Amino acid sequence: MPVSRRTFLSGCVALPLSAQTSGFSVAEQSVGNGTLTTISDGHLTLPGSFVFDPMPRDELLPLLENAGISEKTLTPECNVSLYQDGQNTVLFDVGSGPDFQSSAGKLPDGLELAGIAPEDVTHVVFTHAHPDHIWGLLDEFDDPLFYDATYMIGRAEWDYWWNPETVNTIGEARAAMAVGAKRRLEAIEDTVEFFDGGQEILSGIQAVATPGHTPGHMSFEVRGGSDAAMIIGDAITNHHVAFMRPEWLSGSDQDAETAASTRTALFDRIVADNLKIAGFHLPGGGVGHVERNSEGYRFVPENS
């Protein structure tokens, strides 16, 4: 029987322990004089319908078969980006924490293995406020886990989740996302800093408005001299259909039409500027580059 979004969201906490990951994949590349690293927060288990429902099935199935992707179940990696330039240690998103899926929420262990303590993180920058990106904000005492960090989020994204009407308008299947986001944003209300698309939020880091997946989703271009990478969050959510058919609507996006336009434009920018990318749900640690091919685009992991 197909799994609905409502069933998926309501069952997240109850996933079996057998779904947990035991390792922590790390991918790394230099960007100018800095280092961009991804650290695993584990992985998610999603029904294929969560992504594939709006897509033309007769065209979709051959693509999935050629890519070796199941139409029924997806298990995307969750890769949190960390950028260190000798002055700042910047974490982009904070993972799921313990309350979303048992296969995720591994970031604290991954950071420890990488030799990064919570107090080492100078800035936490959010791409958006979906559970797998922001629910790891709080520790077991409901205090911010990265207690010495400056927290930063796009103004439009904050306004959307802070709005008390969002929980009523987002749809029943996503209402838990709105409640969870608001609770965590309340914990940083007095200290958070806001930014807009096109703004340089820190030296060498520019916010890029990439709406659609959520209303205020942001990506980030990290640049060191002529060397640059794009941290894409969920603007490009997978390495298969999103690359082969970026114009197709995806069920994982809150505004699917806007997200498709954003994806297409983002691919154009990445290829034209020859940017490295770091994707939250891309395989092999999520770091790599993009190639054009006969199917549209292809993700090439850094460690391939």
Side-chain angles (χ1 to χ4, degrees), residues 134-155:
I134 198 170
W135 279 20
L137 174 64
L138 303 178
D139 63 18
E140 63 268 29
F141 302 104
D142 279 350
D143 294 320
L145 176 62
F146 303 99
Y147 47 86
D148 283 339
T150 297
Y151 288 88
M152 308 178 76
I153 191 170
R155 192 181 311 272

Side-chain angles (χ1 to χ4, degrees), residues 80-136:
V80 175
S81 292
L82 180 75
Y83 181 65
Q84 298 170 284
D85 63 3
Q87 179 177 357
N88 294 318
T89 296
V90 186
L91 199 62
F92 294 87
D93 298 330
V94 291
S96 298
D99 298 328
F100 188 50
Q101 291 196 5
S102 60
S103 58
K106 314 299 182 185
L107 178 63
D109 294 331
L111 287 171
E112 183 177 359
L113 289 175
I116 304 292
E119 61 268 25
D120 296 332
V121 177
T122 61
H123 299 80
V124 171
V125 181
F126 293 109
T127 62
H128 65 298
H130 274 167
D132 49 332
H133 295 257
I134 198 170
W135 279 20

Side-chain angles (χ1 to χ4, degrees), residues 282-294:
L282 300 184
V287 172
H289 65 275
V290 177
E291 293 180 350
R292 289 188 188 270
N293 63 16
S294 60

Side-chain angles (χ1 to χ4, degrees), residues 52-66 71 241 245 248 295:
F52 301 140
D53 262 1
M55 300 178 182
R57 185 174 174 79
D58 58 337
E59 297 179 56
L60 171 67
L61 293 183
L63 291 180
L64 295 181
E65 183 176 358
N66 289 339
E71 67 170 306
V241 180
R245 298 292 186 271
W248 281 3
E295 291 293 341

